[in-house]
Amino acid sequence: MTEYEVLVETINPCGGDRHSTKEFIDVETDDPTRWVRENGRFPILDVTETPEGDLVVSTGDEAGNRIRYTFTE
């Protein structure tokens, strides 16, 4: 299993990115996307990789609530 430091950004539809709540958690997993699917509150909307190699998994609902998980080894 790989250990990741995960930045969890909770974004509400009224405040946007500027007013998001941010927290760091430690996660051990072989598949970050599966971890979000099993532990996240919303369905996965997008999965991207940053130029630095971090994996970003974005989730959300129809009301505009979003949670973005950035996995860094």
Side-chain angles (χ1 to χ4, degrees):
M1 286 226 210
T2 305
E3 186 172 323
Y4 294 93
E5 180 178 69
V6 182
L7 171 61
V8 181
E9 299 173 271
T10 304
I11 306 160
N12 69 43
C14 298
D17 283 339
R18 288 187 314 232
H19 300 286
S20 64
T21 59
K22 299 174 182 169
E23 69 175 308
F24 286 95
I25 59 173
D26 293 322
V27 171
E28 282 190 34
T29 183
D30 288 327
D31 185 350
T33 304
R34 184 180 65 203
W35 186 89
V36 171
R37 193 175 298 117
E38 292 173 354
N39 296 286
R41 288 187 1 205
F42 304 121
I44 293 174
L45 301 174
D46 188 40
V47 179
T48 59
E49 190 171 316
T50 67
E52 296 82 20
D54 298 338
L55 186 69
V56 180
V57 181
S58 299
T59 67
D61 66 5
E62 294 154 2
N65 296 297
R66 303 280 183 258
I67 300 178
R68 184 170 43 224
Y69 302 86
T70 304
F71 288 80
T72 304
E73 280 191 53

